[in-house]
């Protein structure tokens, strides 16, 4: 694996590799690499000739200065993990390379960016996400962009941007990788105390409970979200939001009639976590759950 710190270096390395018509996959991350990121890399590795991973803790998508400051940074360890997973180029620019003095142009993402995460974290959150992803796409010009379904609204926002701005890239959204008890892998999990970590398992447990209700025929959004809230309240957790939504626009649905997402966000202590599960009405998915989830034993 080679390291690129600036756009010129990244492009020079890619130009050589691309000469033979290689297919390039990009996995953008904010570092603190975990199994979730590595699963994206593995998928990219399986389908692309060249895999680029980026590490950039993007200040423009943080709404709280303390959160940005506390975000884990461990580039040496990350580089080892990414190299072992088969990444060809690690792109890890500093802030001045990405946002030089005078930087002013950003992506406006529209109403989708104002719902749920956008409502809690502010409009600038998804503007920040879309801007950095657009910049990374221009810097790297990948054929395929790999994102995780854990960040369902992020996937929807970027899918919208790719479509709206005619970006020549294929977007692949990969399943959520979870701990053995179902907690979605996240760089933020490390901030949970032992007691909070135990309670955090209720997030996925509550989503699975809603999924079981769906499998027994429930389709009413209120019944499903109430079941989630009730399960969370047993652990003293009140979600910031919990809603049944359509996957593309994240519009709230009164009833489960097509494939939909049940999304939630909650604070456990000081740590904010998000999760979601794909649901389909029982008549659509008699046997298998709607989404294949990757569970880790570690
Ligand atoms: P982050 O470093 O948190 O910005 O995440 C970088 C990418 O990894 C995003 O596309 C995330 O959606 C994805 N990702 C984060 N956690 C997971 C997970 N547990 N499973 C799958 N993908 C994930």
């Amino acid at each position: 694996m080679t390291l690129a710190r600036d756009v010129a270096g990244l492009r020079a390395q890619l130009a050589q590799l691309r000469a033979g018509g290689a297919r390039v996959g990009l996995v953008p991350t904010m570092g603190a690499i975990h199994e979730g990121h590595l699963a994206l890399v593995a998928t990219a590795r399986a389908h692309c000739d060249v895999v680029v991973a980026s590490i950039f803790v993007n200040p423009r998508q943080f709404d709280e200065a303390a959160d940005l400051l506390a975000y884990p940074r461990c580039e040496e360890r990350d580089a080892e993990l990414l190299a072992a997973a088969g990444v060809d180029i690690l792109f890890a620019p500093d802030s001045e390379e990405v946002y030089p003095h005078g930087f002013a142009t950003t992506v406006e993402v529209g109403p989708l960016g104002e719902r749920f995460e956008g409502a809690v974290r502010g409009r600038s959150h998804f503007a920040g996400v879309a801007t950095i992803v657009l910049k990374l796409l221009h810097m790297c010009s990948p054929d395929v962009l790999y994102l995780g379904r854990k960040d369902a609204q992020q996937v929807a926002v970027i899918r919208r941007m790719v479509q709206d701005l005619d970006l020549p890239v294929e977007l692949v959204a990969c399943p959520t990788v979870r701990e053995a008890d179902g907690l979605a892998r996240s760089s933020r999990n490390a901030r949970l105390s032992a007691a909070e970590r135990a309670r955090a398992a209720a997030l996925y447990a509550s989503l699975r409970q809603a999924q079981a209700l769906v499998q027994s025929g429930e389709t009413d959004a209120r019944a499903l979200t109430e079941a989630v809230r009730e399960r969370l309240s047993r652990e003293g957790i009140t979600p910031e939001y919990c809603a049944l939504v359509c996957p593309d626009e994240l519009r709230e649905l009164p009833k489960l009639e097509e494939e939909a997402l049940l999304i939630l966000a909650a604070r456990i202590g000081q740590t904010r976590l998000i999760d979601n599960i794909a649901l389909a009405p029982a008549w659509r998915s008699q046997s298998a759950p709607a989404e294949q989830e990757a569970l880790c034993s570690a």
Side-chain angles (χ1 to χ4, degrees):
M1 184 177 81
T2 57
L3 173 67
R5 291 279 180 205
D6 54 33
V7 180
L10 173 68
R11 286 185 173 150
Q13 289 185 40
L14 278 168
Q16 282 185 352
L17 293 165
R18 232 195 289 266
R23 184 175 163 86
V24 177
L26 171 66
V27 180
T29 83
M30 296 205 297
I33 297 301
H34 53 67
E35 293 293 332
H37 301 121
L38 295 176
L40 303 190
V41 169
T43 307
R45 188 68 280 163
H47 297 107
C48 298
D49 305 302
V50 176
V51 178
V52 181
S54 63
I55 295 181
F56 182 64
V57 183
N58 179 29
R60 288 180 171 257
Q61 70 190 69
F62 283 80
D63 47 310
E64 292 172 17
D67 191 27
L68 174 61
L69 215 65
Y71 204 85
R73 289 165 174 84
C74 36
E75 195 185 293
E76 217 170 293
R77 174 191 160 276
D78 288 351
E80 281 171 19
L81 290 170
L82 293 170
V87 167
D88 298 295
I89 304 174
L90 170 58
F91 179 50
D94 64 19
S95 203
E96 286 69 43
E97 177 69 9
V98 178
Y99 302 119
H101 180 70
F103 182 90
T105 309
T106 59
V107 178
E108 167 86 62
V109 302
L112 173 54
E114 291 166 21
R115 303 184 188 127
F116 303 108
E117 285 302 289
V120 177
R121 306 187 66 174
R123 288 168 62 112
S124 61
H125 171 65
F126 282 116
V129 170
T131 301
I132 188 63
V133 172
L134 183 62
K135 283 185 64 95
L136 288 167
L137 290 173
H138 285 314
M139 291 165 174
C140 174
S141 303
D143 298 280
V144 194
L145 170 68
Y146 293 89
L147 299 176
R149 284 188 216 153
K150 181 177 87 72
D151 298 281
Q153 192 169 2
Q154 177 166 288
V155 171
V157 164
I158 301 303
R159 207 182 279 291
R160 181 84 257 162
M161 177 177 78
V162 166
Q163 208 176 321
D164 289 349
L165 302 185
D166 306 299
L167 303 178
V169 70
E170 179 191 345
L171 194 165
V172 172
C174 301
T176 300
V177 178
R178 301 178 178 281
E179 306 270 357
D181 65 359
L183 178 65
R185 297 260 177 176
S186 165
S187 310
R188 292 193 160 87
N189 293 354
R191 293 193 211 162
L192 298 166
S193 69
E196 289 168 349
R197 172 64 189 80
R199 290 167 62 218
L203 265 57
Y204 189 55
S206 72
L207 295 174
R208 287 299 295 249
Q209 193 160 323
Q211 187 180 52
L213 280 177
V214 167
Q215 281 159 3
S216 64
E218 185 61 76
T219 58
D220 181 59
R222 186 183 294 263
L224 296 173
T225 54
E226 279 307 314
V228 169
R229 287 177 187 279
E230 196 278 324
R231 176 67 183 82
L232 291 175
S233 73
R234 280 195 252 153
E235 295 295 339
I237 301 168
T238 307
E240 284 177 345
Y241 61 75
C242 169
L244 183 73
V245 300
C246 64
D248 294 339
E249 296 293 322
L250 271 84
R251 272 187 216 289
E252 279 206 61
L253 302 168
K255 218 167 154 41
L256 181 65
E257 290 173 321
E258 293 295 329
E259 291 224 347
L261 293 175
L262 193 51
I263 57 170
L264 65 79
R267 268 184 201 275
I268 304 196
Q270 298 298 306
T271 309
R272 192 166 178 279
L273 300 176
I274 60 172
D275 204 348
N276 68 82
I277 196 165
L279 299 174
W283 59 267
R284 289 275 306 259
S285 58
Q286 287 303 334
S287 49
E291 176 181 304
Q292 289 294 319
E293 296 278 341
L295 278 173
C296 291
S297 54

